Amino acid sequence: MRNKFVFLMTACWMLSNFCQPVISQNARYGEWQSYLSNGRGIMSVQKGQIIYTISQGGMYSYDIGTEEIRIFSTIDGMSSISPTTLYYHDETDQIFIGYSDGMIDYFSDPDQIFHLSDIARNTFFVDRRVNLFLAEGKRLYVGTNFGLVIYNLDTNLPLTDVSQFAGNPSRTPVNSLAISEGLIYVAVKDRGLYSAPIDFPNLKDPAVWLWEDGDTGLPESENIKEIGANPDGLFALTDNTVYRKKDNNWAVFGRLDNKWEHLYVIDDAVGASRLNNINVINSRGIKYNFFIAGAAKHVVISGEDLFFVTTSFRGLTKFDNWQTPTIVPPGPTSNDCTRLAVGNGEVYVAPKGYDQLFAPDNNAFGVYHYNISEGIWTTLDTIRDGLPDDVGTSFARAYYDHETNQAYMGSWGSGLVVLKDATLVDGYNCTNSGIPIINQVCNPSNTGNSRVSGTALDSYGNLWVSLDFALPPLVVRTPEGDWHSVPNFRFPSDHHITEMIVDDYNNIWMVNNDKSLLVYTENGTPDVFDDGQMVTLRTGTNQGNLPSIEVFSLAQDQEGFIWVGTAKGVTVFFDPFSISQGRIVDASPPVFERTALLKNTAVTAIAVDGGNRKWLGTEDGLFLVSENGDALIHQFTTENSPLLSNKINDVQIDPESGLVFIATDRGLMSFQGDATQGQSQCEDILVYPNPVFTDFNGLITIRGSAAESTVKITTVSGLLVRELESQGGSTTWDGMDVYGNQVRSGVYLALIADRNGENACIGKFTVIAR
């Protein structure tokens, strides 16, 4: 029965008996927020005092009277954030939005957006892109990449489709539509202009459509780009001429000084635009020629001297008495979003640094910064200042240090910058640091030389930087400012380092792309390489037991375990200490419903929230799982949530607010999580020395507790090691357990609470064998 149902659904359009549309209203999700660029405008329309503009970030509205700007995305009910066309029908007072997949949204009140999915659901036509709308009475004409679709606006049902005009091949894109003197005109891409009686009962018949040729005065050699109509006639734009058809004859209406791209026709004016230029001729014959920076895409003629111009690079521009203010909601410069650095109420975005082959793309986007509480976006680049000229392109990696509130942003080509409060602190490249290069020739103008693939600080304050294809691929900067390089012989000869993290044991975990997982331990002496160790982890028992050698993501959880995202699911190394001792240990995948968690799913991002739960970004959506990965808490996709895309590039969490920031291949979003970092009066808790080496003979000091407190030393799994009493805010410990034995190497917790068991806080430290 199910197969028959599917067949009927796909066959109904082929028989021109359209299926009942799915018309629904999306709920508004208060816990989601999108952060999209609206600077790349596509089209605008006016509805009363409101100008609606679609862009590559969704849609936004501008109130001419109050100047209020409102942003719309999938959270507000839009089908996607990539609309292709926009239209206002004054008779029904409705806005229509078309999309590249054939979806249609419509609304009178933007708080209630409805959907027509007939075109999107029809599989008979492969390319279902909606190019434009035109309405007449209760008919909505939809120009698509396969032809024309006509809807009945009383029932919101499609009446018919027209995929062939006269002797043209079928499934030809419709570029423009107009209605004049009882005829509907269709401009067909590269095929010319066709017309048919608008009230003809069977417009699907190709013979009904007549070609507008030279016999009526329209030159056959002219390329018809767009058409439009008003009471003064039908207008057609060619490369550099506007023609008008009136009383069944074509004549030149106006000559243009160059090849123009777009035509705009309203009741009392006709306009055309190209690049940064606008030409408007009103009903009194007055011509307006003006310049709009940003590449004009569309013009809304709102009044005698009031125009709104949609531009490709500046969003909506208002032309009012020769003033041209830009109207764009706050947001990043683009929707590119590769990696995030999040903390202390701020977000840094590394937009895009490389192509599919990991070659630098040399973009000049810079770095985007977002202040969460103030809602302010700032772009740092070499043009607006904020970044040095020699380290300003192709940012692809990001790391946030929660101790100093500094962000380390890695360029896939020109080095590393350090930022604090959206201000440059330092910049490093081959000229002023130990950052290596690919071809051994330091030339700052060569923006592909120093490809930073990862950066992180260890417990000593050493800054580790990994680089793709560099010789060597791993360097460290000490707190004193000295640079040291891990010798290249420590690495496989074909190394291709694409990701890196540092764990609590100061192990440097590196993804050797499509080959292995590398773990380097420097044993507390970053400037001495004889005692360093490198472990290679692969697939197979006793080799690391990775599900796949394609590793995409790394994260350490609150217990010190290392979670690894691969092309075939996620796995965990529960004994990173043994790896720091040079031993190979096998990873084990979390088990969910009797199988490996996300088996055969590419896990591209991992983040750990305040409850030690794991947010797993994949190419099939976003998952929140329990601490051990044995329970699924949330699963978000584009089908069941406002998620912009199922392809997740990165996930990071602001520990104070619990906001989960999600970088997708179509832009940035956040979800209000319900787990935050534990808050207490423990900011000054200090355990020293940390780490503690097993040959240390002194007392370990735990400072920062209340005057009278109980201090419990435990393993990360909760096993009690020793219970102590504080002395005036400090506690000392000899490193022995309750049985008088020296504790083994590992990660330990100091659980501190007052005598009433209140005001609890936690200190964390590491014991390392030596």
Side-chain angles (χ1 to χ4, degrees):
M1 180 65 69
R2 177 174 299 177
N3 291 337
K4 291 182 179 179
F5 175 75
V6 172
F7 171 77
L8 290 173
M9 291 292 288
T10 56
C12 58
W13 196 330
M14 296 168 62
L15 299 174
S16 294
N17 297 316
F18 285 79
C19 306
Q20 175 71 27
V22 175
I23 306 175
S24 63
Q25 176 188 345
N26 279 7
R28 296 175 62 86
Y29 294 84
E31 69 244 66
W32 288 90
Q33 186 172 351
S34 59
Y35 311 89
L36 298 172
S37 170
N38 285 283
R40 296 184 179 274
I42 298 172
M43 192 174 185
S44 300
V45 297
Q46 182 171 358
K47 181 180 184 291
Q49 286 292 102
I50 307 296
I51 302 292
Y52 289 92
T53 299
I54 57 172
S55 71
Q56 291 185 13
M59 180 177 70
Y60 62 96
S61 64
Y62 171 74
D63 190 308
I64 298 175
T66 66
E67 298 188 342
E68 177 185 0
I69 298 176
R70 180 177 173 186
I71 303 172
F72 301 87
S73 69
T74 53
I75 298 172
D76 305 278
M78 292 184 68
S79 292
S80 81
I81 61 162
S82 300
T84 54
T85 188
L86 186 68
Y87 179 75
Y88 172 63
H89 184 212
D90 56 356
E91 185 171 332
T92 60
D93 193 36
Q94 289 181 323
I95 296 282
F96 292 88
I97 309 169
Y99 297 89
S100 59
D101 63 355
M103 283 296 297
I104 297 173
D105 294 346
Y106 68 98
F107 64 87
S108 292
D109 179 353
D111 289 329
Q112 295 181 322
I113 298 178
F114 300 90
H115 313 290
L116 300 173
S117 63
D118 307 275
I119 297 173
R121 289 186 292 115
N122 186 277
T123 58
F124 184 67
F125 302 105
V126 176
D127 189 350
R128 299 182 286 273
R129 186 183 193 272
V130 176
N131 296 324
L132 74 157
F133 298 103
L134 180 65
E136 174 82 0
K138 295 298 182 179
R139 296 288 185 271
L140 177 69
Y141 299 88
V142 184
T144 74
N145 265 8
F146 60 81
L148 180 67
V149 178
I150 305 173
Y151 272 87
N152 183 334
L153 291 179
D154 281 329
T155 62
N156 287 320
L157 291 171
L159 295 172
T160 189
D161 70 289
V162 183
S163 59
Q164 188 174 6
F165 303 92
N168 276 289
S170 62
R171 306 184 189 184
T172 306
V174 170
N175 286 351
S176 194
L177 295 167
I179 296 172
S180 179
E181 297 181 343
L183 297 175
I184 179 169
Y185 291 84
V186 176
V188 180
K189 183 179 180 180
D190 301 325
R191 297 290 176 177
L193 184 62
Y194 297 84
S195 64
I198 193 170
D199 56 356
F200 193 81
N202 185 19
L203 291 176
K204 192 176 181 68
D205 183 357
V208 176
W209 295 88
L210 300 178
W211 180 42
E212 294 287 312
D213 56 20
D215 292 343
T216 58
L218 184 65
E220 296 180 15
S221 60
E222 292 279 20
N223 175 32
I224 306 299
K225 292 184 174 181
E226 291 187 359
I227 57 177
N230 65 16
D232 201 31
L234 174 70
F235 297 84
L237 173 69
T238 65
D239 285 336
N240 51 19
T241 305
V242 176
Y243 291 89
R244 179 176 62 181
K245 183 180 184 182
K246 193 171 184 179
D247 299 327
N248 207 35
N249 288 299
W250 288 94
V252 173
F253 178 75
R255 297 288 186 185
L256 302 172
D257 58 2
N258 213 315
K259 289 186 177 182
W260 294 71
E261 298 299 327
H262 300 288
L263 176 72
Y264 319 103
V265 180
I266 62 171
D267 287 347
D268 60 353
V270 177
S273 68
R274 65 175 292 273
L275 296 178
N276 301 321
N277 298 283
I278 307 295
N279 246 331
V280 176
I281 306 172
N282 67 17
S283 59
R284 303 190 308 276
I286 299 175
K287 291 186 178 182
Y288 292 86
N289 299 301
F290 55 92
F291 175 88
I292 291 288
K297 294 286 289 184
H298 188 255
V299 177
V300 173
I301 306 172
S302 183
E304 185 171 312
D305 296 304
L306 180 62
F307 312 99
F308 290 90
V309 182
T310 316
T311 68
S312 294
F313 303 108
R314 297 180 61 194
L316 185 66
T317 297
K318 182 179 181 180
F319 182 87
D320 187 5
N321 195 26
W322 299 100
Q323 300 298 311
T324 58
T326 298
I327 304 165
V328 181
T333 305
S334 77
N335 288 327
D336 293 302
C337 191
T338 300
R339 291 291 187 273
L340 305 171
V342 180
N344 193 38
E346 57 182 346
V347 181
Y348 292 86
V349 179
K352 186 175 184 288
Y354 48 77
D355 58 24
Q356 293 181 344
L357 299 177
F358 286 99
D361 63 5
N362 297 325
N363 73 74
F365 294 155
V367 172
Y368 310 147
H369 176 267
Y370 178 62
N371 184 303
I372 297 174
S373 61
E374 298 179 8
I376 296 176
W377 280 95
T378 304
T379 298
L380 306 171
D381 57 23
T382 57
I383 298 174
R384 299 173 179 86
D385 295 328
L387 296 182
D389 291 338
D390 52 0
V391 189
T393 61
S394 302
F395 285 93
R397 291 295 180 261
Y399 168 77
Y400 197 87
D401 178 22
H402 295 275
E403 296 293 327
T404 63
N405 296 328
Q406 292 186 152
Y408 295 77
M409 310 299 294
S411 164
W412 205 268
S414 58
L416 175 72
V417 295
V418 186
L419 304 169
K420 185 172 184 178
D421 298 326
T423 302
L424 180 69
V425 176
D426 277 311
Y428 303 113
N429 61 19
C430 63
T431 65
N432 65 354
S433 71
I435 290 182
I437 54 182
I438 293 176
N439 59 11
Q440 307 303 300
V441 178
C442 180
N443 181 1
S445 63
N446 185 347
T447 56
N449 247 350
S450 299
R451 307 175 187 182
V452 175
S453 60
T455 180
L457 291 163
D458 66 18
S459 62
Y460 300 106
N462 297 308
L463 174 65
W464 291 88
V465 181
S466 65
L467 299 107
D468 191 26
F469 290 130
L471 300 174
L474 182 64
V475 296
V476 59
R477 183 183 187 271
T478 67
E480 294 75 29
D482 299 323
W483 288 87
H484 304 283
S485 301
V486 178
N488 195 57
F489 69 78
R490 294 282 185 189
F491 293 83
S493 59
D494 58 346
H495 58 71
H496 181 9
I497 310 301
T498 57
E499 299 283 347
M500 185 268 279
I501 66 168
V502 178
D503 69 13
D504 284 343
Y505 296 100
N506 296 325
N507 298 322
I508 294 86
W509 295 71
M510 295 164 285
V511 174
N512 190 21
N513 191 58
D514 290 347
K515 299 177 181 70
S516 62
L517 188 59
L518 304 176
V519 186
Y520 177 73
T521 304
E522 44 82 17
N523 285 319
T525 54
D527 56 338
V528 178
F529 304 112
D530 290 341
D531 61 348
Q533 301 175 91
M534 183 75 78
V535 173
T536 301
L537 304 170
R538 301 184 178 89
T539 58
T541 305
N542 299 323
Q543 296 295 316
N545 201 35
L546 292 172
S548 168
I549 58 172
E550 292 183 84
V551 177
F552 300 131
S553 52
L554 299 167
Q556 177 183 254
D557 72 7
Q558 294 179 10
E559 294 188 351
F561 304 148
I562 305 299
W563 288 61
V564 181
T566 77
K568 295 184 178 180
V570 64
T571 194
V572 185
F573 286 93
F574 292 99
D575 188 10
F577 172 74
S578 292
I579 294 177
S580 71
Q581 302 300 298
R583 297 191 294 271
I584 293 178
V585 298
D586 284 348
S588 301
V591 177
F592 173 66
E593 294 184 347
R594 299 183 180 180
T595 190
L597 180 65
L598 295 177
K599 184 177 181 181
N600 297 324
T601 299
V603 178
T604 54
I606 305 173
V608 181
D609 69 13
N612 204 26
R613 304 176 305 179
K614 289 26 178 220
W615 291 82
L616 305 176
T618 74
E619 294 183 348
D620 298 315
L622 180 66
F623 298 79
L624 172 61
V625 299
S626 61
E627 179 177 1
N628 299 320
D630 56 357
L632 178 64
I633 300 169
H634 288 304
Q635 178 182 355
F636 297 121
T637 67
T638 56
E639 287 72 31
N640 68 2
S641 75
L643 193 64
L644 298 175
S645 169
N646 286 334
K647 188 174 181 179
I648 311 300
N649 292 334
D650 196 15
V651 180
Q652 296 292 330
I653 302 171
D654 179 47
E656 288 79 18
S657 64
L659 278 170
V660 181
F661 287 89
I662 308 147
T664 76
D665 65 337
R666 300 185 69 183
L668 178 65
M669 301 192 76
S670 69
F671 177 82
Q672 181 59 66
D674 57 359
T676 59
Q677 197 71 31
Q679 301 294 320
S680 69
Q681 304 299 316
C682 303
E683 288 78 8
D684 296 326
I685 289 295
L686 175 65
V687 181
Y688 67 96
N690 185 16
V692 182
F693 291 99
T694 52
D695 58 0
F696 176 68
N697 295 320
L699 293 175
I700 302 161
T701 300
I702 303 165
R703 178 178 293 173
S705 60
E708 295 183 352
S709 299
T710 298
V711 180
K712 294 183 178 182
I713 309 299
T714 74
T715 65
V716 290
S717 61
L719 179 65
L720 179 66
V721 175
R722 187 79 172 269
E723 183 169 323
L724 308 165
E725 297 297 326
S726 69
Q727 301 293 326
S730 294
T731 306
T732 58
W733 175 46
D734 60 6
M736 302 294 180
D737 64 16
V738 293
Y739 301 104
N741 300 317
Q742 185 179 28
V743 297
R744 297 179 179 180
S745 57
V747 179
Y748 292 85
L749 305 177
L751 308 179
I752 305 171
D754 62 24
R755 295 293 174 82
N756 297 320
E758 300 175 347
N759 298 319
C761 53
I762 301 175
K764 189 177 182 180
F765 61 100
T766 305
V767 176
I768 297 178
R770 186 167 65 180

